[in-house]
Amino acid sequence: KNKIATLPHGKIYKKRSRRMIIIETTKERLIEFTRMHDMYLSEWNKAMVSGDTSSVGKMANHYFVVFLRGGNEKPIIFNREEAIMGMQQSVKHFLGASKLFKNRVIRLRNAVVFYEQLIEKDGKILSRLFTIENWQIINGEWSLIRETEEPI
């Protein structure tokens, strides 16, 4: 029979015939993910000041980003390498600006984050995008696997 036990560090385990299987509670997972995502957003603003994008490249090897354009135009899709080049160019272009992340909503499946992304410089909004990020745990760490951006 399956037995459930809570160990001192709070993780819940389900014992199945000599094997321990970790069952994280949704609340623990949400807290852990939110903390990581807060740091990720903070690193973005550091990159916007310094120009160094190395700390925001949490993309999985199979990552891609979809840029939706207006109306019924076909989206533009970039693979990981293209996205990293574009990110570096964008940071250089907007160097000194701030990225604001408004109205963030996090839903756990793997993890999906919805937010309004604004780039602001000298009190002016230079860019406004609706962003959807899809994250997954890969090799024990959260990695960005897919992103969708749409101007608003």
Side-chain angles (χ1 to χ4, degrees):
K1 288 187 177 185
N2 294 336
K3 293 183 181 180
I4 296 176
T6 303
L7 298 181
H9 47 73
K11 293 220 190 269
I12 298 173
Y13 290 83
K14 194 174 200 180
K15 201 174 196 180
R16 250 191 229 159
S17 53
R18 299 182 194 218
R19 262 178 51 207
M20 298 292 268
I21 299 172
I22 299 175
I23 302 172
E24 290 185 11
T25 65
T26 302
K27 186 176 180 179
E28 286 175 331
R29 193 166 174 211
L30 179 60
I31 290 167
E32 173 212 343
F33 178 82
T34 302
R35 192 175 301 131
M36 181 283 305
H37 199 261
D38 288 345
M39 290 180 359
Y40 176 72
L41 298 181
S42 175
E43 290 299 322
W44 257 111
N45 275 314
K46 290 178 188 173
M48 295 300 288
V49 172
S50 70
D52 178 10
T53 59
S54 61
S55 63
V56 292
K58 290 184 163 286
M59 300 141 177
N61 289 334
H62 57 281
Y63 166 88
F64 65 94
V65 60
V66 176
F67 282 93
L68 300 174
R69 300 186 286 178
N72 65 349
E73 289 184 54
K74 290 188 179 201
I76 302 170
I77 301 172
F78 297 103
N79 65 27
R80 184 179 193 277
E81 292 74 28
E82 294 165 331
I84 288 172
M85 273 188 358
M87 174 180 66
Q88 291 167 342
Q89 290 170 356
S90 177
V91 167
K92 284 180 185 168
H93 177 75
F94 290 115
L95 198 62
S98 297
K99 269 196 175 199
L100 306 172
F101 305 93
K102 303 284 187 178
N103 306 310
R104 179 175 67 168
V105 175
I106 298 172
R107 294 291 181 256
L108 291 179
R109 200 175 35 201
N110 282 317
V112 180
V113 183
F114 307 85
Y115 57 87
E116 181 181 359
Q117 181 183 155
L118 298 102
I119 298 178
E120 179 184 67
K121 189 171 186 177
D122 301 326
K124 294 180 183 175
I125 302 295
L126 306 176
S127 174
R128 183 183 303 261
L129 299 169
F130 180 71
T131 302
I132 303 171
E133 297 174 344
N134 292 261
W135 295 77
Q136 186 175 43
I137 294 177
I138 299 174
N139 297 324
E141 292 188 17
W142 286 106
S143 295
L144 191 54
I145 60 168
R146 179 179 65 240
E147 212 170 343
T148 306
E149 306 275 351
E150 183 168 5
I152 50 175

